[in-house]
Amino acid sequence: MGIRKKTNKSPPVFSHEFIIQNHADIVSCVAMVFLLGLMFEVTAKVAVFFVTVQYNVTITTNEGPDETSINFFHHGLKDLATVFFYMLVAIIMHAIIQEYVLDKINRRMHFSKTKHSKFNESGQLSAFYLCSCVWGTSILVSEHFLSNPASLWEGYPHTLMLFQMKFFYICQMGYWLHALPELYFQKTKKEDILRQLVYISLYLVQIGGAYLLNLTRLGLVLLVLHYFVELVFHVSRLIYFSNENNQAGFTVWAILFVLGRLLTLSLSVLTVGFGLAGSEQGLDLTSGNFNVLIVRITVLAVICVTQAFMMWKFINFQLRRWREHAQAQSMKKKPVPTKSKSSKKENKANGVNGAVTSNAADSPRARKEKSS
Protein backbone atom coordinates (compact mmCIF):
# COMPACT_ATOMS: atom_id res chain seq x y z
CA MET A 1 0.00 0.00 0.00
CA GLY A 2 1.22 3.45 -0.85
CA ILE A 3 1.80 5.95 1.91
CA ARG A 4 -0.73 8.80 1.83
CA LYS A 5 0.81 12.22 1.85
CA LYS A 6 -0.60 14.61 4.42
CA THR A 7 -1.84 17.71 2.66
CA ASN A 8 -2.94 20.74 4.66
CA LYS A 9 -4.97 22.50 2.01
CA SER A 10 -5.88 26.05 2.89
CA PRO A 11 -9.51 27.02 2.26
CA PRO A 12 -10.37 29.13 -0.83
CA VAL A 13 -9.70 32.85 -0.52
CA PHE A 14 -12.68 34.90 0.74
CA SER A 15 -14.54 31.73 1.75
CA HIS A 16 -16.13 31.54 5.20
CA GLU A 17 -13.40 29.27 6.55
CA PHE A 18 -10.66 31.51 5.16
CA ILE A 19 -12.15 34.61 6.82
CA ILE A 20 -12.65 32.83 10.15
CA GLN A 21 -9.11 31.39 10.22
CA ASN A 22 -7.43 34.65 9.17
CA HIS A 23 -9.80 37.29 10.55
CA ALA A 24 -7.19 38.65 12.98
CA ASP A 25 -4.67 39.21 10.17
CA ILE A 26 -7.32 40.83 7.96
CA VAL A 27 -8.42 43.18 10.75
CA SER A 28 -4.78 44.01 11.55
CA CYS A 29 -4.25 45.10 7.95
CA VAL A 30 -7.32 47.33 8.10
CA ALA A 31 -6.10 48.92 11.34
CA MET A 32 -2.64 49.48 9.83
CA VAL A 33 -4.26 51.43 6.98
CA PHE A 34 -5.53 54.01 9.48
CA LEU A 35 -2.19 54.16 11.30
CA LEU A 36 -0.25 54.60 8.06
CA GLY A 37 -2.70 57.33 7.10
CA LEU A 38 -1.31 59.46 9.93
CA MET A 39 2.08 59.55 8.19
CA PHE A 40 0.89 61.44 5.10
CA GLU A 41 -0.47 64.95 5.10
CA VAL A 42 -3.22 64.17 2.59
CA THR A 43 -4.77 61.32 4.60
CA ALA A 44 -3.85 62.49 8.11
CA LYS A 45 -6.91 64.72 8.38
CA VAL A 46 -9.20 61.71 7.89
CA ALA A 47 -7.14 59.12 9.78
CA VAL A 48 -6.96 61.29 12.88
CA PHE A 49 -10.75 60.93 13.30
CA PHE A 50 -10.32 57.17 13.78
CA VAL A 51 -7.19 57.00 15.92
CA THR A 52 -7.34 59.98 18.30
CA VAL A 53 -10.02 61.21 20.67
CA GLN A 54 -12.01 64.13 19.21
CA TYR A 55 -13.78 67.27 20.51
CA ASN A 56 -11.13 68.59 22.89
CA VAL A 57 -11.64 71.86 24.73
CA THR A 58 -8.82 73.66 26.57
CA ILE A 59 -9.79 75.51 29.76
CA THR A 60 -7.35 77.81 31.55
CA THR A 61 -7.58 78.12 35.32
CA ASN A 62 -5.94 80.74 37.55
CA GLU A 63 -5.48 78.55 40.62
CA GLY A 64 -2.27 79.53 42.38
CA PRO A 65 0.41 81.88 41.04
CA ASP A 66 0.56 80.25 37.59
CA GLU A 67 -2.09 79.63 34.98
CA THR A 68 -2.76 75.98 34.19
CA SER A 69 -4.44 74.64 31.07
CA ILE A 70 -6.58 71.51 31.25
CA ASN A 71 -7.86 69.63 28.23
CA PHE A 72 -11.46 68.47 28.42
CA PHE A 73 -13.52 66.54 25.87
CA HIS A 74 -17.17 66.28 24.92
CA HIS A 75 -19.00 63.86 22.63
CA GLY A 76 -20.16 64.15 19.01
CA LEU A 77 -20.72 62.23 15.77
CA LYS A 78 -16.98 61.90 15.07
CA ASP A 79 -16.77 59.53 18.04
CA LEU A 80 -18.35 56.84 15.84
CA ALA A 81 -15.16 56.67 13.78
CA THR A 82 -13.03 56.37 16.92
CA VAL A 83 -15.27 53.63 18.30
CA PHE A 84 -14.95 51.73 15.01
CA PHE A 85 -11.15 51.83 15.13
CA TYR A 86 -10.97 50.60 18.71
CA MET A 87 -13.46 47.89 17.83
CA LEU A 88 -10.81 46.64 15.38
CA VAL A 89 -8.21 46.82 18.15
CA ALA A 90 -10.50 44.76 20.41
CA ILE A 91 -10.81 42.06 17.72
CA ILE A 92 -7.01 41.87 17.43
CA MET A 93 -6.56 41.65 21.22
CA HIS A 94 -9.26 38.97 21.38
CA ALA A 95 -7.35 36.86 18.85
CA ILE A 96 -4.03 37.33 20.67
CA ILE A 97 -5.46 36.20 24.03
CA GLN A 98 -7.20 33.27 22.35
CA GLU A 99 -4.18 32.00 20.44
CA TYR A 100 -1.35 32.59 22.91
CA VAL A 101 -3.12 31.93 26.23
CA LEU A 102 -6.45 30.12 26.05
CA ASP A 103 -5.68 27.68 23.24
CA LYS A 104 -2.49 26.53 24.97
CA ILE A 105 -4.40 25.87 28.21
CA ASN A 106 -7.12 24.02 26.30
CA ARG A 107 -4.57 21.67 24.73
CA ARG A 108 -3.22 20.74 28.16
CA MET A 109 -6.58 20.34 29.91
CA HIS A 110 -8.35 18.40 27.10
CA PHE A 111 -11.76 19.97 27.72
CA SER A 112 -14.95 18.73 26.09
CA LYS A 113 -16.62 20.87 23.42
CA THR A 114 -19.06 22.39 25.91
CA LYS A 115 -16.37 23.21 28.48
CA HIS A 116 -14.08 24.42 25.69
CA SER A 117 -16.50 27.18 24.60
CA LYS A 118 -17.34 28.18 28.18
CA PHE A 119 -13.67 28.27 29.13
CA ASN A 120 -12.89 30.55 26.17
CA GLU A 121 -15.80 32.85 27.05
CA SER A 122 -14.79 33.13 30.71
CA GLY A 123 -11.12 33.60 29.80
CA GLN A 124 -11.83 36.48 27.43
CA LEU A 125 -14.29 38.20 29.76
CA SER A 126 -12.04 37.78 32.80
CA ALA A 127 -9.22 39.62 31.04
CA PHE A 128 -11.57 42.41 29.93
CA TYR A 129 -13.30 42.79 33.31
CA LEU A 130 -9.97 42.86 35.15
CA CYS A 131 -8.55 45.63 32.93
CA SER A 132 -11.80 47.62 33.08
CA CYS A 133 -12.04 47.35 36.88
CA VAL A 134 -8.47 48.53 37.41
CA TRP A 135 -8.83 51.34 34.87
CA GLY A 136 -12.26 52.46 36.12
CA THR A 137 -11.19 52.38 39.77
CA SER A 138 -8.16 54.55 39.02
CA ILE A 139 -10.46 57.15 37.42
CA LEU A 140 -12.86 57.04 40.38
CA VAL A 141 -10.02 57.58 42.84
CA SER A 142 -8.34 60.37 40.87
CA GLU A 143 -11.63 62.23 40.35
CA HIS A 144 -12.74 61.70 44.01
CA PHE A 145 -16.12 60.30 42.98
CA LEU A 146 -16.08 57.69 45.76
CA SER A 147 -15.14 60.12 48.54
CA ASN A 148 -17.73 62.66 47.35
CA PRO A 149 -20.89 60.83 46.14
CA ALA A 150 -22.70 64.15 45.64
CA SER A 151 -20.41 64.81 42.66
CA LEU A 152 -22.41 62.18 40.74
CA TRP A 153 -25.24 64.69 40.27
CA GLU A 154 -23.82 68.08 41.28
CA GLY A 155 -22.98 70.31 38.32
CA TYR A 156 -25.11 68.32 35.87
CA PRO A 157 -24.92 68.26 32.84
CA HIS A 158 -21.40 66.82 32.87
CA THR A 159 -20.68 67.58 29.24
CA LEU A 160 -16.92 67.98 29.71
CA MET A 161 -14.80 64.90 30.47
CA LEU A 162 -11.14 64.36 31.08
CA PHE A 163 -9.22 62.29 28.54
CA GLN A 164 -9.23 59.12 30.67
CA MET A 165 -12.98 59.25 31.17
CA LYS A 166 -13.81 59.71 27.49
CA PHE A 167 -11.25 57.17 26.31
CA PHE A 168 -12.68 54.67 28.82
CA TYR A 169 -16.15 55.00 27.31
CA ILE A 170 -14.79 54.81 23.76
CA CYS A 171 -13.01 51.55 24.57
CA GLN A 172 -16.07 50.14 26.33
CA MET A 173 -18.31 50.73 23.33
CA GLY A 174 -15.62 49.43 20.98
CA TYR A 175 -15.26 46.21 22.99
CA TRP A 176 -18.95 45.39 23.13
CA LEU A 177 -19.36 46.20 19.44
CA HIS A 178 -16.51 43.80 18.65
CA ALA A 179 -18.49 41.03 20.40
CA LEU A 180 -21.02 41.06 17.52
CA PRO A 181 -18.64 39.95 14.70
CA GLU A 182 -16.96 37.58 17.19
CA LEU A 183 -20.16 35.55 17.20
CA TYR A 184 -19.33 34.71 13.57
CA PHE A 185 -15.57 34.42 13.99
CA GLN A 186 -15.85 32.03 16.97
CA LYS A 187 -18.56 29.89 15.32
CA THR A 188 -20.95 30.40 18.20
CA LYS A 189 -23.67 27.75 18.52
CA LYS A 190 -27.16 28.75 17.44
CA GLU A 191 -28.60 28.10 20.90
CA ASP A 192 -26.03 30.50 22.46
CA ILE A 193 -26.40 33.34 19.96
CA LEU A 194 -29.65 34.73 21.41
CA ARG A 195 -28.27 34.74 24.97
CA GLN A 196 -25.13 36.59 23.92
CA LEU A 197 -27.04 39.07 21.75
CA VAL A 198 -29.23 39.96 24.73
CA TYR A 199 -26.40 40.83 27.10
CA ILE A 200 -24.34 42.56 24.38
CA SER A 201 -27.35 44.75 23.57
CA LEU A 202 -27.89 45.56 27.24
CA TYR A 203 -24.29 46.68 27.63
CA LEU A 204 -24.37 48.83 24.49
CA VAL A 205 -27.70 50.47 25.35
CA GLN A 206 -26.74 51.36 28.90
CA ILE A 207 -23.15 52.43 28.21
CA GLY A 208 -24.23 54.44 25.16
CA GLY A 209 -27.15 55.93 27.09
CA ALA A 210 -24.92 57.12 29.95
CA TYR A 211 -22.48 58.59 27.41
CA LEU A 212 -25.10 60.48 25.38
CA LEU A 213 -27.18 61.67 28.36
CA ASN A 214 -24.05 63.02 30.12
CA LEU A 215 -24.45 60.58 33.01
CA THR A 216 -20.88 59.38 32.64
CA ARG A 217 -20.03 59.65 36.34
CA LEU A 218 -22.93 57.48 37.47
CA GLY A 219 -22.31 55.10 34.57
CA LEU A 220 -18.65 54.69 35.54
CA VAL A 221 -19.48 53.79 39.16
CA LEU A 222 -22.14 51.27 38.11
CA LEU A 223 -19.88 49.72 35.47
CA VAL A 224 -16.99 49.17 37.89
CA LEU A 225 -19.37 47.66 40.45
CA HIS A 226 -20.95 45.34 37.90
CA TYR A 227 -17.64 44.35 36.30
CA PHE A 228 -16.16 43.39 39.67
CA VAL A 229 -19.05 41.00 40.38
CA GLU A 230 -18.80 39.49 36.89
CA LEU A 231 -15.03 39.12 37.28
CA VAL A 232 -15.53 37.02 40.42
CA PHE A 233 -18.00 34.78 38.57
CA HIS A 234 -15.81 34.12 35.54
CA VAL A 235 -12.68 33.55 37.63
CA SER A 236 -14.67 31.09 39.75
CA ARG A 237 -15.78 29.29 36.61
CA LEU A 238 -12.19 29.04 35.36
CA ILE A 239 -11.14 27.55 38.71
CA TYR A 240 -14.08 25.14 38.57
CA PHE A 241 -13.00 23.89 35.13
CA SER A 242 -9.53 23.11 36.46
CA ASN A 243 -10.89 21.46 39.63
CA GLU A 244 -14.59 20.57 39.78
CA ASN A 245 -14.49 20.08 43.56
CA ASN A 246 -13.57 23.74 44.10
CA GLN A 247 -16.91 25.62 44.04
CA ALA A 248 -16.34 28.10 46.87
CA GLY A 249 -15.99 30.94 44.36
CA PHE A 250 -19.61 30.57 43.26
CA THR A 251 -20.79 31.10 46.85
CA VAL A 252 -18.78 34.33 47.10
CA TRP A 253 -20.14 35.42 43.72
CA ALA A 254 -23.75 34.74 44.80
CA ILE A 255 -23.39 37.02 47.82
CA LEU A 256 -21.67 39.76 45.83
CA PHE A 257 -24.27 39.50 43.06
CA VAL A 258 -27.18 40.26 45.41
CA LEU A 259 -25.24 43.09 47.09
CA GLY A 260 -24.29 44.48 43.67
CA ARG A 261 -27.92 44.63 42.58
CA LEU A 262 -28.95 46.42 45.78
CA LEU A 263 -26.10 48.96 45.48
CA THR A 264 -26.89 49.58 41.82
CA LEU A 265 -30.55 50.32 42.54
CA SER A 266 -29.69 52.47 45.56
CA LEU A 267 -27.14 54.61 43.69
CA SER A 268 -29.45 54.96 40.68
CA VAL A 269 -32.43 56.10 42.74
CA LEU A 270 -30.24 58.42 44.83
CA THR A 271 -28.61 60.05 41.79
CA VAL A 272 -31.42 60.12 39.23
CA GLY A 273 -34.48 60.12 41.49
CA PHE A 274 -33.33 62.56 44.18
CA GLY A 275 -30.05 64.22 43.15
CA LEU A 276 -31.03 65.32 39.64
CA ALA A 277 -34.54 66.22 40.80
CA GLY A 278 -33.00 68.99 42.93
CA SER A 279 -30.72 70.24 40.15
CA GLU A 280 -31.49 72.59 37.29
CA GLN A 281 -34.50 71.30 35.33
CA GLY A 282 -34.98 71.58 31.60
CA LEU A 283 -34.35 69.97 28.21
CA ASP A 284 -31.63 71.71 26.20
CA LEU A 285 -29.89 69.70 23.49
CA THR A 286 -27.27 72.36 22.81
CA SER A 287 -26.06 72.43 26.41
CA GLY A 288 -26.58 68.69 26.89
CA ASN A 289 -29.15 69.07 29.65
CA PHE A 290 -31.65 66.16 29.74
CA ASN A 291 -32.86 66.74 33.27
CA VAL A 292 -36.61 66.38 32.72
CA LEU A 293 -39.08 64.04 34.41
CA ILE A 294 -39.71 61.76 31.43
CA VAL A 295 -35.97 61.17 30.89
CA ARG A 296 -35.35 60.45 34.58
CA ILE A 297 -38.25 58.00 34.70
CA THR A 298 -37.01 56.27 31.53
CA VAL A 299 -33.46 55.95 32.90
CA LEU A 300 -34.68 54.52 36.19
CA ALA A 301 -37.07 52.15 34.40
CA VAL A 302 -34.30 50.77 32.18
CA ILE A 303 -31.99 50.24 35.17
CA CYS A 304 -34.69 48.62 37.31
CA VAL A 305 -35.89 46.31 34.52
CA THR A 306 -32.32 45.27 33.78
CA GLN A 307 -31.60 44.51 37.44
CA ALA A 308 -34.87 42.57 37.77
CA PHE A 309 -34.02 40.54 34.65
CA MET A 310 -30.57 39.72 35.99
CA MET A 311 -32.01 38.74 39.37
CA TRP A 312 -34.55 36.45 37.69
CA LYS A 313 -31.79 34.75 35.71
CA PHE A 314 -29.73 34.43 38.91
CA ILE A 315 -32.60 32.77 40.83
CA ASN A 316 -33.21 30.29 37.99
CA PHE A 317 -29.49 29.50 37.89
CA GLN A 318 -29.38 28.82 41.64
CA LEU A 319 -32.53 26.68 41.55
CA ARG A 320 -31.08 24.60 38.73
CA ARG A 321 -27.85 24.07 40.69
CA TRP A 322 -29.78 23.01 43.81
CA ARG A 323 -31.86 20.52 41.82
CA GLU A 324 -28.74 19.00 40.25
CA HIS A 325 -27.06 18.80 43.66
CA ALA A 326 -30.14 17.14 45.20
CA GLN A 327 -30.31 14.59 42.39
CA ALA A 328 -26.63 13.78 42.79
CA GLN A 329 -27.06 13.28 46.54
CA SER A 330 -30.10 11.03 46.06
CA MET A 331 -28.22 8.88 43.57
CA LYS A 332 -25.40 8.41 46.09
CA LYS A 333 -27.80 7.36 48.87
CA LYS A 334 -29.55 4.64 46.79
CA PRO A 335 -28.29 1.14 47.85
CA VAL A 336 -26.74 -0.84 45.01
CA PRO A 337 -27.83 -4.55 45.05
CA THR A 338 -24.76 -6.82 45.27
CA LYS A 339 -24.65 -10.60 45.23
CA SER A 340 -22.77 -12.26 48.09
CA LYS A 341 -20.04 -14.76 47.44
CA SER A 342 -21.99 -17.58 49.18
CA SER A 343 -25.03 -17.06 46.95
CA LYS A 344 -22.80 -17.10 43.88
CA LYS A 345 -21.24 -20.44 45.04
CA GLU A 346 -24.69 -21.93 45.69
CA ASN A 347 -25.87 -20.92 42.22
CA LYS A 348 -22.78 -22.48 40.67
CA ALA A 349 -23.25 -25.72 42.67
CA ASN A 350 -26.91 -25.94 41.69
CA GLY A 351 -25.95 -25.40 38.08
CA VAL A 352 -23.37 -28.25 38.21
CA ASN A 353 -25.76 -30.68 39.98
CA GLY A 354 -28.47 -29.91 37.48
CA ALA A 355 -26.11 -30.57 34.60
CA VAL A 356 -24.97 -33.93 36.12
CA THR A 357 -28.54 -35.02 36.74
CA SER A 358 -29.62 -34.15 33.20
CA ASN A 359 -26.62 -36.06 31.75
CA ALA A 360 -27.37 -39.11 33.88
CA ALA A 361 -30.99 -39.09 32.79
CA ASP A 362 -29.99 -39.02 29.15
CA SER A 363 -27.50 -41.95 29.44
CA PRO A 364 -28.22 -45.33 27.56
CA ARG A 365 -28.57 -47.29 30.82
CA ALA A 366 -31.20 -44.91 32.08
CA ARG A 367 -33.14 -45.17 28.78
CA LYS A 368 -33.13 -49.05 29.03
CA GLU A 369 -34.41 -48.94 32.60
CA LYS A 370 -37.19 -46.61 31.51
CA SER A 371 -38.18 -48.93 28.58
CA SER A 372 -38.22 -52.05 30.82
Side-chain angles (χ1 to χ4, degrees):
M1 291 180 66
I3 300 175
R4 294 183 179 178
K5 294 182 179 179
K6 295 181 180 180
T7 57
N8 296 326
K9 292 184 177 180
S10 59
V13 181
F14 299 121
S15 63
H16 291 290
E17 286 297 326
F18 178 84
I19 294 174
I20 290 172
Q21 290 181 11
N22 303 282
H23 73 274
D25 297 328
I26 297 171
V27 173
S28 299
C29 293
V30 176
M32 285 300 297
V33 170
F34 295 110
L35 293 176
L36 290 173
L38 296 173
M39 300 175 62
F40 304 99
E41 187 177 357
V42 178
T43 57
K45 294 180 180 179
V46 177
V48 74
F49 294 151
F50 293 87
V51 179
T52 62
V53 178
Q54 301 297 308
Y55 300 107
N56 61 314
V57 177
T58 303
I59 296 179
T60 304
T61 59
N62 294 323
E63 295 180 359
D66 300 328
E67 292 184 354
T68 57
S69 298
I70 304 175
N71 289 327
F72 289 94
F73 297 84
H74 59 90
H75 58 75
L77 288 176
K78 294 178 183 178
D79 291 337
L80 295 175
T82 313
V83 170
F84 174 76
F85 176 78
Y86 286 98
M87 180 191 74
L88 301 180
V89 175
I91 293 175
I92 298 169
M93 296 302 298
H94 186 113
I96 292 173
I97 295 173
Q98 184 67 44
E99 182 175 355
Y100 293 100
V101 180
L102 299 179
D103 285 346
K104 290 184 177 180
I105 298 175
N106 279 320
R107 293 191 196 101
R108 293 181 181 178
M109 302 299 294
H110 303 289
F111 291 128
S112 61
K113 290 184 178 179
T114 304
K115 284 187 177 181
H116 181 84
S117 61
K118 290 182 178 179
F119 180 84
N120 289 337
E121 179 185 5
S122 292
Q124 294 286 349
L125 290 175
S126 296
F128 170 71
Y129 289 144
L130 178 61
C131 294
S132 297
C133 282
V134 174
W135 189 4
T137 304
S138 67
I139 298 174
L140 292 176
V141 173
S142 62
E143 294 298 313
H144 306 289
F145 293 151
L146 297 178
S147 59
N148 183 21
S151 60
L152 297 179
W153 61 82
E154 286 181 350
Y156 181 84
H158 307 133
T159 54
L160 297 180
M161 300 171 280
L162 291 174
F163 172 79
Q164 289 293 334
M165 176 77 83
K166 177 162 183 175
F167 192 50
F168 178 84
Y169 272 91
I170 292 291
C171 292
Q172 293 297 311
M173 289 184 282
Y175 181 86
W176 290 112
L177 277 176
H178 111 280
L180 295 175
E182 284 294 342
L183 297 177
Y184 170 70
F185 295 146
Q186 299 298 323
K187 296 183 179 179
T188 306
K189 295 179 181 179
K190 291 183 179 180
E191 56 268 22
D192 293 336
I193 290 178
L194 180 61
R195 174 183 65 86
Q196 297 200 23
L197 282 176
V198 168
Y199 79 73
I200 291 170
S201 301
L202 287 174
Y203 276 116
L204 287 174
V205 168
Q206 300 200 32
I207 294 173
Y211 187 70
L212 294 175
L213 296 176
N214 297 314
L215 293 171
T216 50
R217 298 182 181 181
L218 174 64
L220 178 63
V221 175
L222 298 184
L223 272 179
V224 172
L225 176 63
H226 175 73
Y227 283 171
F228 177 74
V229 177
E230 291 297 299
L231 175 63
V232 173
F233 171 74
H234 287 286
V235 171
S236 302
R237 191 156 75 162
L238 291 176
I239 296 172
Y240 171 76
F241 287 148
S242 61
N243 182 11
E244 294 187 356
N245 295 324
N246 193 344
Q247 301 186 22
F250 291 113
T251 305
V252 176
W253 165 73
I255 297 172
L256 291 176
F257 185 89
V258 177
L259 292 176
R261 306 287 72 78
L262 293 175
L263 283 174
T264 299
L265 290 174
S266 301
L267 282 173
S268 301
V269 172
L270 177 64
T271 303
V272 181
F274 295 100
L276 293 181
S279 302
E280 181 182 355
Q281 306 286 319
L283 179 63
D284 189 0
L285 299 180
T286 56
S287 63
N289 190 355
F290 298 93
N291 192 8
V292 291
L293 181 62
I294 185 65
V295 174
R296 295 200 304 271
I297 291 175
T298 304
V299 170
L300 281 177
V302 170
I303 295 174
C304 291
V305 169
T306 303
Q307 300 306 306
F309 173 74
M310 293 173 64
M311 200 67 195
W312 177 70
K313 297 283 288 184
F314 171 78
I315 293 171
N316 287 336
F317 173 76
Q318 294 296 334
L319 290 176
R320 186 171 65 252
R321 283 189 64 203
W322 289 337
R323 289 194 202 102
E324 293 174 355
H325 180 71
Q327 289 177 358
Q329 292 296 324
S330 62
M331 291 296 290
K332 289 180 181 179
K333 291 180 181 179
K334 283 184 179 179
V336 180
T338 57
K339 293 183 178 180
S340 62
K341 292 183 179 180
S342 59
S343 62
K344 289 181 180 179
K345 290 181 179 179
E346 290 176 0
N347 291 335
K348 288 182 180 179
N350 292 334
V352 171
N353 293 334
V356 172
T357 304
S358 62
N359 291 335
D362 292 337
S363 63
R365 185 177 178 180
R367 283 198 294 268
K368 285 181 181 180
E369 290 177 357
K370 285 182 181 179
S371 61
S372 63

